[in-house]
Amino acid sequence: MIEKLQDSRAVLLGAVAIFAIGLTTSGYALGDGLRRSKMAEHRSVTVRGVSERDVTANLATWSVNFSHEGTELDPVQQSVDQQANVIRSFFQRAGFRPEDIADSDVSLNREQPRDRDGKPVGPQKLTVRRSIQLRTTDVLRARAAYARQAELLRDGVELSGTNVTYTFTGLNALKPQMIAEATRNARQSAEQFARDSGVAVGRLKNASQGYFSVGPRDGEDCEDCGSAGGTTPFQKVRVVTTIDYDLG
């Protein structure tokens, strides 16, 4: 009887020991699996892909601001009208069509001179300001004419400001191809990093297209440039994509 009890006790202890070993082993496997999963979450790489295109602007907008001042409105207005005719003639001699030229702004300012006590002194001073704008797709012709704008001064135009802006309007047509190229370049960078690290590129985790910028073709790269145009017709379109890949 005693021997049977001892045998039963030994069998029970053996079963408990086997169960404990199995529980320990499964716990280790589970913990190791969680650890590996956690490590896998952090095994990733962030890469950037760039795509650039050299383009020539296809729209030029040139604004010429001028003015005249005096004490009587009629003579002042006549002077401004004469200057406007000179500007229009200048544009037409340069080869632009009349429909490319338009008045864009006009204003009248009255200023009354006063003495130290604030009392009016003499007649009012009148200033008429006017602006004429050239808008053309012949950007190289506009660039050549802009280089000769000193002729306006010699012809009596009282310039108060003149500036030309060159804009590339074909950005939407370039976007699909450039995005695809930037994405391929990012993938190549990730694969190169993976090869150097002895791992493989896994799934794509996150992607950010970035934004397109249009800046001068010559000079430093400008990621903060906008796309509203610039002071040169020779421009560069640029896009940068940022992508996160898992590493296996």
Side-chain angles (χ1 to χ4, degrees):
M1 183 69 178
I2 295 175
E3 292 179 356
K4 289 182 178 182
L5 291 174
Q6 289 177 342
D7 291 340
S8 299
R9 184 178 180 184
V11 171
L12 179 61
L13 291 175
V16 170
I18 292 172
F19 176 77
I21 293 172
L23 183 62
T24 302
T25 302
S26 62
Y28 173 80
L30 178 61
D32 186 61
L34 291 174
R35 180 179 62 84
R36 290 176 179 271
S37 176
K38 194 68 175 177
M39 290 177 62
E41 290 180 3
H42 294 284
R43 296 182 65 181
S44 63
V45 61
T46 300
V47 292
R48 302 176 73 190
V50 180
S51 179
E52 295 180 337
R53 294 287 188 279
D54 289 339
V55 298
T56 299
N58 55 354
L59 177 64
T61 306
W62 180 3
S63 295
V64 180
N65 306 315
F66 54 101
S67 63
H68 187 75
E69 64 178 37
T71 57
E72 296 182 10
L73 182 58
D74 285 345
V76 172
Q77 185 64 57
Q78 290 176 10
S79 174
V80 171
D81 289 342
Q82 183 179 359
Q83 294 180 61
N85 291 333
V86 170
I87 295 171
R88 289 178 178 276
S89 297
F90 171 81
F91 283 146
Q92 292 181 28
R93 288 197 310 272
F96 300 107
R97 303 171 301 173
E99 54 266 34
D100 296 332
I101 309 162
D103 281 271
S104 59
D105 189 29
V106 62
S107 65
L108 169 64
N109 182 63
R110 298 176 181 269
E111 182 180 351
Q112 176 62 64
R114 297 181 182 275
D115 61 16
R116 294 182 179 180
D117 297 327
K119 296 180 180 180
V121 177
Q124 287 185 333
K125 183 176 70 174
L126 307 177
T127 303
V128 174
R129 294 182 176 87
R130 193 166 164 182
S131 180
I132 290 181
Q133 185 182 83
L134 171 73
R135 182 181 173 88
T136 178
T137 56
D138 195 343
V139 294
L140 296 183
R141 185 185 297 272
R143 184 170 182 257
Y146 188 73
R148 307 195 330 266
Q149 62 180 310
E151 296 177 15
L152 295 173
L153 290 173
R154 290 195 294 268
D155 291 338
V157 178
E158 301 176 39
L159 292 175
S160 57
T162 172
N163 63 84
V164 62
T165 300
Y166 300 98
T167 306
F168 176 68
T169 64
L171 184 58
N172 287 336
L174 294 180
K175 282 184 176 181
Q177 183 181 6
M178 292 185 66
I179 292 173
E181 182 179 66
T183 302
R184 288 196 303 270
N185 291 339
R187 177 76 184 192
Q188 291 173 1
S189 297
E191 291 174 346
Q192 182 63 52
F193 179 86
R195 284 194 297 269
D196 295 341
S197 303
V199 294
V201 177
R203 65 182 180 87
L204 186 152
K205 294 179 61 178
N206 187 40
S208 173
Q209 174 187 311
Y211 62 93
F212 283 82
S213 64
V214 182
R217 181 183 303 178
D218 302 318
E220 297 181 358
D221 292 335
C222 179
E223 294 186 13
D224 296 327
C225 292
S227 57
T231 58
T232 173
F234 308 113
Q235 301 174 354
K236 177 185 293 184
V237 179
R238 190 170 192 262
V239 65
V240 179
T241 61
T242 303
I243 302 179
D244 296 333
Y245 287 102
D246 280 331
L247 295 178

